[in-house]
Structures are given as C-alpha cells and as structure tokens.
Amino acid sequence: MVLGTTSGAGKSWLTTALCRHYSNLGLRVAPFKAQNMSNNARVVSGPGGSLGEIGSAQYFQALAARAEPEVRMNPLLLKPEADTHSQVVLMGQVSAELTAMPWRGRSEKVWPQIAAALDALRAENDVVVIEGAGSPAEINLHASDIVNMRVARHADARCLLVTDIDRGGAFAHLYGTWALLPEEERALIHGFVLNKFRGDASLLAPAPQMLHQLAGVPTVATIPMQWRHGLPEEDGVFDDRSTAAGAVHTTVAVVAYPRISNLDEFQPLKNVPGVRLLWVRSPADIGGLKPTDWVVLPGSKSTAADLAWLRAQGLDQAIAHHAGRGGTVLGVCGGLQMLGEALIDTAGIDGNAPGLGLLPLVTTFEVAKTVQRTQAQFGAVRGAWAALADVSVMGYEIHHGQTAQHPAMAAKGDVAREVIPGIAWQNPAGNVLGVYLHGLFEDAAVLHALFGAQVPTLDSVFDGLAGFLGTSFTPGVLDALVAQ
C-alpha cells in the first residue's frame, strides 16, 4: 500500500509505477483505492457486463498493471459538485441515497462493499497495489476512515509512506505522520520514500539514519524530480515546466473554471512537439492568442455554475472575440453545453442558464446519466478542424445533459453542422467544434490527424516509471514487499 504524508506527495505516481514493475515480473497485478475524490473519471467495466465510473488514476494504474480496468478497483468515487457537496458513485453507479447522506454516516454503510471488492481482487491476483488518500494521520477522521489505515489493517498491507521533499520539511512530515498513528498501525509501515528530490542524494545524510533510529523505519527510496514523466499531473494540474520540446507553433488555452472535470485527457498534448498548454483564468490569458491557437472549454461537474464564473471573469467576451475573428474553439462535454444557446434544467440536476451562443444548440438536463464507451467516426468536418474528417475515434461519455439543435433557430435556417450524430457539432465557419466525447487526445489517430505527431504510448510511459523504481529503491526492497 502507498500512503502519503499529504495530498500531492506522489501516491498515484508511485502506485502506477509499482503496478507496472510487478507486472513486468510476470505477476497478476491489480490496483485499488477504496475512495477517490476527483472529477477526473473514466468509464470501465462493472458487474454483469454493465459500465460504471472510477477515478482516472485507477484507470491508468490498471493499464500499467496490464489489467482490465473495472469498478472494483475504485469502489467509491466522490465527484465534487460544490464546495460542500459531492455526487457519490458506488461500484460505478451514482447513488442518490449516499449522495444525500451526511459524510460521517456514510462510512459504515459503504465499508462492506469496499472490503468485498478488495478481498475479491486479492483472491484473483498475485499482487494488489493499494493507494491511500490524503494523509493517514488526519486524527479527526481516523474513526470514520475507510481509505487509509482501515484498508491497510483489513489487508495486512505492507505500506510505504511517501513525502514530497521539494516542499520542505519532509523528515518532519514522515516522522509526524508515523508518530500520530496508533502503535499497531505503525507496524504496517515498511519504508519511507522521499519523492521529487533535486540535488545530490548523499547530502541527505545523516537524516535518513536519524529517522530510522527514531521510528525504526528505513528510508527505502529517494526518487528524483521528474518534469516529463508522461502521466497526468495529480488532480489534472498542468505544470508549465513540462511542456514538450521544440519551438511552439500552437498554444492550447484551457479554461480552468472551478469545477473543471476530466482535465487529465489533455495530458497527451503536453507530449506533442511544438504544443504549449496554458491555463486560462482571465481575459488577458486569451488576448494574446493567434487565431490558430485553441481555446478549450473542458468538462465541468457543474456546467451552469462554471458558466456563471466564466461570465463573472469576463471570459465570455474574450472567447466570443477569439471565435469572432476566426479563432479555433473546442468545447468538450460541459464545454460543448456552454457553447450552445441555453441550458434547460427542469429536473434540478445542474441549473438553467443562457449559453455563449457560439453554436445554435440547446441542452436539456435529465436525471438519467449517460455513462458509456463510444466508438465513432467524424463526418465531413470543415474549417480549422477539417483534419478530423473521416477519422475514427474511441472515447467515453459521462453527462446528464442531452444536446440538440435549437428548434427556433433551426426553423430560421441557423443549424449547427452535426459531424458525429448526437455527439459532435460545429459552426458553419468551421472554427468552433463541440463534442461530448472525452478522450479525443488519447487517440493516436486524432493526434496524428491534427499534428502529424507521434507521442509516447502509455506503455512506454509506464515502463519509464517502472524504470525509475529500479534506480531509486534500495536493492531487494521491492521484492520483499511482495514476498510470501
């Protein structure tokens, strides 16, 4: 099990690397995270041939393990819809009952299914690599814990505790976390890991030895800082220092509204030579773009609220100006909904709002949620997106809204060009495209059509991560963690 002293310490990264490392040894491997809070989700297999949602991190970890991603790998997913409210997804399906339930009362109700999912994965695999959440030493949450030490105790897991040394205070983080755990839980910590180290590792002495004397736990790895490891940043955050090599020919400006979702799907663009990814939070960020640069409205867990935020920043006018001068605009899922004329919500799902008016479409929110994997082919795409014409693509859909032509505008001849039936539309000029399909830029055919570029495959990324472990861990440690 991989635990962290804080959020962002590197748990997801290390778990992914361990999944590939043990898979490379010929072992049957599966990832597991009892509870994940993220709006980055993927559509995967569920019980009886159904489909459901899990956090993107566990999806990538399953691929690293060469395992079929499935809902048992992340049985509980919390998708924040507001600062104090999350949609609860249990075993891949939205649960209205759990969503309405107070957080502390939810733990005991979901624990049996979490434990059953973990036990089943353990029975079917040689190794299960478990990821914790946040810190295991949040003493105010310990009694209702279902994701850290309760899981560790249930599985009698051999735990690594990882910290981000680049933040400073790493040894205090490690010792303080260990010291706040009950004695029986301290015994499960088999090693400390220093992540994101820059410099000469020999200069760390004698701190690791002193820490070993204090806690009885060895520091088993010092992992170098990596700017270009190829995985999505934790929580989908872009790092400007990890842009691809080569002179920049295209800037992709992604609007970073507060409840952004599925941002990790843009990760492959970071590896395309000549492409720069840019966060957009103000009109000034768009003002300097060329018409050939992209403005992207990504997915949103609360489309109406994020659209209101976008207007409050004045970004609506900046986007309209960019589109009006022929600038390239892309909306994905919630972003597609924003590009239309109106959001209509009679079921109380998301909210009513006027759209940006860049596509003559209207979106109606429904209680039923579309969760599916989709294979489709673009039709006769024109203008800035013409390279996508006739390209076949695989992706996934997660949305409550259903989008169609605006009837009154259509009657007057103002019709969006439907380039994939029910999934993608563009304006007559061809510079504005809206799609419901997530995962476009994880499709090699799409990247090749748009950029003519070959980007690293996920397999090469996973192997690269595993390679770092071999040079960073004390010899023998990784074998001992899975020894019978």
Side-chain angles (χ1 to χ4, degrees):
M1 184 170 186
V2 179
L3 302 165
T5 57
T6 60
S7 294
K11 296 184 292 293
S12 296
W13 180 97
L14 182 54
T15 301
T16 308
L18 288 169
C19 283
R20 176 48 59 101
H21 171 83
Y22 291 122
S23 176
N24 283 345
L25 297 180
L27 300 171
R28 293 172 299 169
V29 183
F32 180 83
K33 184 168 185 174
Q35 174 181 287
N36 200 347
M37 178 174 281
S38 178
N39 277 331
N40 293 331
R42 297 300 170 109
V43 178
V44 300
S45 301
S50 64
L51 295 175
E53 299 177 65
I54 64 170
S56 290
Q58 283 64 63
Y59 170 84
F60 287 116
Q61 288 160 6
L63 297 184
R66 298 184 176 92
E68 174 70 22
E70 47 139 317
V71 297
R72 292 182 301 175
M73 296 170 176
N74 176 207
L76 192 65
L77 175 62
L78 309 181
K79 305 187 77 173
E81 296 179 312
D83 292 340
T84 58
H85 177 78
S86 294
Q87 183 184 70
V88 179
V89 179
L90 179 64
M91 294 301 289
Q93 304 301 314
V94 175
S95 171
E97 177 189 359
L98 293 174
T99 297
M101 186 177 292
W103 179 81
R104 291 185 184 275
R106 188 187 300 148
S107 299
E108 290 307 315
K109 192 166 184 67
V110 299
W111 173 253
Q113 293 190 68
I114 289 173
L118 175 56
D119 290 344
L121 290 174
R122 292 172 65 200
E124 296 167 15
N125 292 277
D126 300 314
V127 179
V128 176
V129 186
I130 306 170
E131 180 184 343
S135 163
E138 304 289 356
I139 54 178
N140 57 314
L141 305 178
H142 192 272
S144 54
D145 169 48
I146 54 170
V147 65
N148 285 311
M149 299 315 295
R150 186 171 185 177
V151 173
R153 294 195 310 269
H154 180 82
D156 193 23
R158 296 166 183 175
C159 300
L160 297 173
L161 181 62
V162 59
T163 193
D164 177 359
I165 196 170
D166 195 51
R167 295 185 180 187
F171 294 103
H173 287 164
L174 290 168
Y175 181 74
T177 301
W178 174 87
L180 284 172
L181 296 176
E183 186 172 350
E184 66 273 17
E185 294 178 0
R186 293 179 193 171
L188 298 174
I189 308 296
H190 284 242
F192 294 142
V193 175
L194 300 171
N195 190 30
K196 305 180 186 179
F197 180 72
R198 294 187 282 182
D200 181 356
S202 67
L203 298 178
L204 293 171
Q209 294 80 5
M210 296 171 68
L211 186 61
H212 194 177
Q213 292 171 359
L214 286 168
V217 177
T219 298
V220 296
T222 301
I223 301 174
M225 176 69 80
Q226 300 169 66
W227 302 121
R228 296 181 180 176
H229 52 64
L231 278 183
E233 302 295 335
E234 292 184 275
D235 300 318
V237 176
F238 292 144
D239 186 334
D240 288 340
R241 293 167 293 190
S242 58
T243 51
V248 173
H249 57 69
T250 303
T251 295
V252 178
V254 182
V255 180
Y257 19 76
R259 294 174 182 88
I260 196 168
S261 68
N262 293 83
L263 189 61
D264 57 319
E265 66 180 305
F266 301 106
Q267 163 67 32
L269 293 177
K270 295 169 64 175
N271 302 322
V272 176
V275 171
R276 178 174 70 113
L277 280 164
L278 175 71
W279 283 107
V280 169
R281 294 188 176 92
S282 74
D285 297 328
I286 294 178
L289 298 180
K290 307 184 302 293
T292 53
D293 292 329
W294 301 6
V295 172
V296 177
L297 281 70
S300 167
K301 194 62 187 70
S302 185
T303 305
D306 278 343
L307 185 52
W309 173 88
L310 186 148
R311 284 196 165 98
Q313 312 309 310
L315 280 163
D316 56 334
Q317 298 178 42
I319 295 167
H321 177 73
H322 182 72
R325 65 190 186 109
T328 307
V329 177
L330 173 67
V332 179
C333 198
L336 156 66
Q337 296 167 354
M338 293 181 192
L339 290 175
E341 291 291 328
L343 307 177
I344 299 175
D345 184 10
T346 59
I349 302 299
D350 190 288
N352 299 289
L356 298 176
L358 296 180
L359 290 172
L361 304 172
V362 61
T363 295
T364 303
F365 291 102
E366 299 179 355
V367 174
K369 189 176 188 180
T370 298
V371 177
Q372 62 189 29
R373 288 181 275 197
T374 301
Q375 182 172 7
Q377 183 175 15
F378 281 97
V381 188
R382 298 175 184 171
W385 301 100
L388 294 175
D390 300 322
V391 173
S392 295
V393 61
M394 284 286 296
Y396 58 100
E397 298 178 60
I398 306 176
H399 54 91
H400 281 282
Q402 299 298 322
T403 299
Q405 303 282 349
H406 190 292
M409 298 180 73
K412 296 179 180 179
D414 189 358
V415 178
R417 299 188 65 256
E418 195 170 29
V419 292
I420 301 178
I423 293 177
W425 298 262
Q426 69 173 158
N427 63 342
N431 60 311
V432 178
L433 176 67
V435 300
Y436 263 123
L437 202 62
H438 290 287
L440 280 178
F441 305 113
E442 294 171 353
D443 190 297
V446 170
L447 288 175
H448 182 75
L450 291 171
F451 301 106
Q454 296 296 323
V455 298
T457 64
L458 279 174
D459 262 345
S460 68
V461 169
F462 298 144
D463 284 332
L465 298 182
F468 268 102
L469 301 187
T471 57
S472 301
F473 272 77
T474 302
V477 166
L478 295 177
D479 289 338
L481 287 173
V482 298
Q484 297 297 323

